[in-house]
Amino acid sequence: MPVVRRRSIAWIALIATLTLFYFWNASTRSPPPSYTDANSRAAQGGADFWKLIPVHYPPQSIRPLPTKAPVKYPNVQTSFGKEPAEARAIREHRQRAVKLVFTKCWTSYREYAWKSDELAPVSGGKKNPFGGWAATLVDALDTLWIMDMKPEFDEAVQAAATIDFSKTDLDQVNVFETNIRYLGGFISAFDLSGDERLLHKAVEVGEMLYKAFDTPNRMPITRWAIHAAVSGKRQTAPPSLLIAEIGSLTMEFTRLSIITEDAKWFDAVQRIMDAMADQQDSTALPGLWPLVVSAKDQIFNIGNMFTLGAMADSAYEYLPKMSALMGGQLPIYQKMYEKAATAAIKHALYRPMTPQNEDILVSGAVKSENGEVTLDAQGQHLVCFLGGLLTVGGRLFNRAQDISAATKLVDGCIWTYKALPHGIMPETFHMVPCHSLDGCEWDEKAWKKEVLRLAKDKQATSVDDIIKRDRLPPGFASIPDRRYILRPEAIESVFILYRATGRADLLDSAWTMFESINRTTSTKLANSAVWDVTAPQDQQPERANSMESFWLGETLKYFYLIFSETDVISLDEYVFNTEAHPFKRLVP
Ligand SMILES: *[C@@H]1O[C@H](CO)[C@@H](O)[C@H](O)[C@H]1NC(C)=O
């Protein structure tokens, strides 16, 4: 079977490249491509611009939206009692502090980077890595609404209405990022405000992205040569791409179909999910899909690497969230979620060895080859979303085991924040897994052995030197990527678990996180990613001059919401996309 072997070798090479790319991307300081704000004309054709491009492969038929009545799920949120006056005062003080930080960043974005994708928070410049379509502005629309900043919201909507999506200086558009940030941002701001201008922009982005599905098998192109498509060239779906990028279009497309009553977007993504469902049981780790899949051949079950972290994450996230979004109209999502959650809990979660033997869990990566399943005991800031996700799934579908795992995952993220000198978790790290979920005695020798195993220069230095040089807190076997890039996932899960359980200590953990993050990342203008959260406590980590749109779109929104009254964006009325944009749920 040389063809298969060659293909799998190609895949292994691709995964290696992708992993390299991930870490390379994570550690180089090269600036993103620049974009000259070429007097971008007001959107002339809007959605029509995209509809007028000839279609080469029209769908044979369009699957209609389900018409079944939505079901009543159990509540995601717990019922909160009356709030004591003292607790309320503390909460409102914290809420104001979050809003102050947001306002400072928004003001600087408005002054120095208005309508570009990002503010450069140290130098005061601007960056355009996401098409030059004002990513920060669109990502922050719903946050402005939620924070009750109506004048700023109105100004931003007016500006958003003039974004011209038919033009970009990028050669290649990332369909996934465009979907979660722009389409998700417009849909949610429309769901909250009802402003029709936002719906028009959502439809415009929806028409643009729909063009990426114009391939022989109607599978999408995820890294998309947009100019070729505009000029009417034929296109084919790629033979290898990331499961997260093809598996995370579902919520935005479906919500757009529900709002517009035009089923074509739902139809487009449901084809992907049907193929994923068909092949979920036949992968090397049944229940989970490999990191890299083929859209061209619709192969979702060949490959050995599995993770719920980077490059896969939101494909899993959207399963129970689709049930919430559609009020359970398609039972397949619950089935897919339950299989995935069961496999993830069994294979990917591990209890790390810590000095105090804390009862926590971390989600690692798994290789499954020839029936042998091996765990890579890594951790990522990004995978902290999983605690929130298992909370949502556990509550919707009455799965106590998911809530129990979620609690330990969230506690694991909180623990990891506390274990680092500035109170912030790094992008990636490795730990030492206990053999049993019941825990293990702290074993300094075992820890050092693992440090040495992972060190690249084991001959050159002693293990104690490595620990000192790499500033490894006890329990951490290596820290490959030391940055903190203003990510939301830890506070996201703390927020969701708080709304589901009412655990008061989570409010204090959130506040500690917020203070640590603000202290460590603030600049004169705004907040910035930092290069090294392992820097000694008495040294400020160097600022990286980067503020991705998710800082205003996600991180500060979740911080604000956890300190808001618990019926503000109730999880029983809304479900968040992977960019923290709340969409209205269908409820009976
Ligand atoms: C955020 O950090 C900056 C810099 O340390 C500080 O001036 C500001 O007061 C902090 N904001 C809040 C709300 O804590």
Side-chain angles (χ1 to χ4, degrees):
M1 304 238 294
V3 178
V4 171
R5 196 163 336 120
R6 196 157 53 233
R7 185 185 284 158
S8 56
I9 286 168
W11 261 318
I12 290 164
L14 180 78
I15 291 165
T17 316
L18 287 168
T19 312
L20 267 177
F21 178 76
Y22 177 71
F23 285 109
W24 173 81
N25 207 18
S27 59
T28 47
R29 302 183 178 204
S30 61
S34 71
Y35 169 67
T36 44
D37 192 1
N39 271 340
S40 136
R41 288 169 298 148
Q44 291 180 326
D48 288 343
F49 175 88
W50 298 99
K51 280 163 114 172
L52 291 172
I53 303 169
V55 178
H56 298 293
Y57 308 103
Q60 299 293 302
S61 62
I62 300 275
R63 176 170 173 172
L65 280 164
T67 49
K68 214 169 95 176
V71 300
K72 170 98 186 94
Y73 280 118
N75 282 346
V76 176
Q77 294 209 165
T78 189
S79 48
F80 289 85
K82 195 172 165 351
E83 186 180 29
E86 196 189 338
R88 183 191 185 96
I90 295 174
R91 180 178 61 67
E92 288 180 344
H93 165 78
R94 292 169 171 177
Q95 189 198 39
R96 276 193 299 274
V98 176
K99 186 168 168 179
L100 268 177
V101 171
F102 177 91
T103 305
K104 174 181 161 191
C105 294
W106 179 257
T107 305
S108 294
Y109 170 73
R110 185 177 175 279
E111 180 162 351
Y112 296 98
W114 190 237
K115 287 186 72 181
S116 48
D117 285 344
E118 295 172 7
L119 166 74
V122 176
S123 61
K126 45 187 142 180
K127 306 184 185 186
N128 282 295
F130 292 107
W133 299 316
T136 293
L137 190 154
V138 179
D139 236 1
L141 285 169
D142 54 4
T143 315
L144 289 166
W145 181 271
I146 290 167
M147 291 189 177
D148 203 21
M149 297 170 67
K150 294 293 149 54
E152 290 86 349
F153 177 81
D154 289 338
E155 184 186 38
V157 173
Q158 219 163 49
T162 68
I163 299 170
D164 185 352
F165 285 95
S166 71
K167 300 212 159 34
T168 180
D169 280 1
L170 294 186
D171 292 333
Q172 210 180 49
V173 164
N174 186 321
V175 164
F176 163 81
E177 297 283 4
T178 307
N179 173 60
I180 64 170
R181 298 189 200 221
Y182 293 105
L183 183 52
F186 285 131
I187 288 176
S188 143
F190 171 73
D191 264 354
L192 294 174
S193 71
D195 190 317
E196 295 277 338
R197 290 172 293 175
L198 296 164
L199 180 55
H200 288 146
K201 292 317 269 187
V203 169
E204 186 179 338
V205 180
E207 291 292 356
M208 168 171 82
L209 295 178
Y210 194 66
K211 188 70 201 155
F213 286 72
D214 187 13
T215 62
N217 63 358
R218 297 295 306 171
M219 288 287 119
I221 301 162
T222 46
R223 306 287 172 112
W224 185 37
I226 189 169
H227 302 291
V230 167
S231 68
K233 289 222 172 74
R234 281 178 193 271
Q235 42 183 22
T236 321
S240 53
L241 47 79
L242 301 172
I243 186 78
E245 292 191 349
I246 193 167
S248 319
L249 304 165
T250 325
M251 285 180 73
E252 294 78 5
F253 277 51
T254 301
R255 182 69 195 146
L256 187 60
S257 279
I258 293 173
I259 295 171
T260 58
E261 296 179 352
D262 179 346
K264 73 180 191 184
W265 289 287
F266 164 71
D267 166 73
V269 290
Q270 198 54 45
R271 290 165 196 266
I272 303 169
M273 300 317 286
D274 287 344
M276 281 174 62
D278 281 347
Q279 298 176 49
Q280 187 176 14
D281 299 333
S282 55
T283 69
L285 203 60
L288 304 182
W289 296 274
L291 205 51
V292 178
V293 297
S294 167
K296 180 163 175 278
D297 305 307
Q298 295 192 59
I299 297 173
F300 292 86
N301 60 358
I302 298 182
N304 308 111
M305 307 292 282
F306 300 84
T307 170
L308 280 88
M311 304 185 265
D313 51 349
S314 41
Y316 298 103
E317 180 181 351
Y318 278 17
L319 302 175
K321 289 187 169 183
M322 277 296 285
S323 296
L325 184 79
M326 303 185 77
Q329 285 174 317
L330 291 179
I332 184 133
Y333 285 103
Q334 176 173 353
K335 286 207 194 79
M336 289 168 90
Y337 166 76
E338 292 185 342
K339 288 178 189 174
T342 303
I345 291 172
K346 180 163 175 206
H347 297 291
L349 307 193
Y350 67 95
R351 180 165 174 172
M353 183 177 77
T354 64
Q356 254 72 55
N357 197 20
E358 275 86 359
D359 191 7
I360 56 175
L361 289 173
V362 177
S363 182
V366 179
K367 190 166 146 199
S368 175
E369 210 166 25
N370 307 324
E372 205 183 313
V373 178
T374 39
L375 172 79
D376 173 13
Q378 53 160 266
Q380 304 172 354
H381 191 293
L382 187 146
V383 86
C384 278
F385 86 96
L386 189 56
L389 179 71
L390 290 173
T391 303
V392 171
R395 297 286 291 192
L396 288 176
F397 310 132
N398 272 321
R399 289 167 54 94
Q401 70 274 37
D402 295 2
I403 304 283
S404 155
T407 303
K408 293 177 188 185
L409 285 166
V410 172
D411 289 340
C413 295
I414 294 170
W415 180 86
T416 316
Y417 263 67
K418 288 207 181 110
L420 273 289
H422 293 274
I424 305 178
M425 179 193 295
E427 268 287 275
T428 63
F429 54 89
H430 282 91
M431 303 196 71
V432 186
C434 290
H435 292 297
S436 142
L437 293 184
D438 299 330
C440 49
E441 285 294 304
W442 171 247
D443 177 348
E444 193 163 306
K445 272 211 194 104
W447 169 47
K448 290 184 171 173
K449 202 171 141 202
E450 188 64 3
V451 170
L452 205 56
R453 189 180 75 80
L454 293 176
K456 290 187 189 79
D457 48 358
K458 27 191 153 265
Q459 273 88 25
T461 27
S462 77
V463 66
D464 292 316
D465 287 343
I466 294 172
I467 289 170
K468 208 164 139 209
R469 182 198 63 196
D470 293 349
R471 298 193 286 264
L472 299 174
F476 289 79
S478 81
I479 305 184
D481 187 343
R482 295 160 184 272
R483 296 173 308 157
Y484 172 66
I485 62 168
L486 304 174
R487 280 189 178 287
E489 294 83 10
I491 183 59
E492 168 183 348
S493 285
V494 171
F495 160 70
I496 294 173
L497 188 63
Y498 173 68
R499 286 287 181 91
T501 63
R503 250 176 66 187
D505 66 291
L506 292 171
L507 292 174
D508 294 330
S509 294
W511 179 243
T512 306
M513 277 181 179
F514 174 75
E515 286 196 300
S516 302
I517 291 173
N518 179 52
R519 189 186 322 112
T520 311
T521 65
S522 69
T523 69
K524 215 169 105 234
L525 299 176
N527 295 78
S528 169
V530 293
W531 288 115
D532 188 353
V533 294
T534 71
Q537 215 161 15
D538 57 0
Q539 277 173 30
Q540 282 280 2
E542 193 195 337
R543 308 296 193 268
N545 200 21
S546 161
M547 185 180 91
E548 281 214 44
S549 65
F550 52 64
W551 171 243
L552 301 186
E554 300 191 65
T555 314
L556 289 177
K557 183 188 290 146
Y558 284 127
F559 273 120
Y560 184 85
L561 283 175
I562 195 172
F563 300 129
S564 297
E565 292 189 27
T566 53
D567 59 354
V568 178
I569 313 291
S570 163
L571 297 175
D572 296 312
E573 293 166 46
Y574 291 92
V575 58
F576 287 87
N577 88 336
T578 194
E579 190 75 3
H581 295 305
F583 296 170
K584 273 211 181 102
R585 291 175 53 179
L586 291 189
V587 289

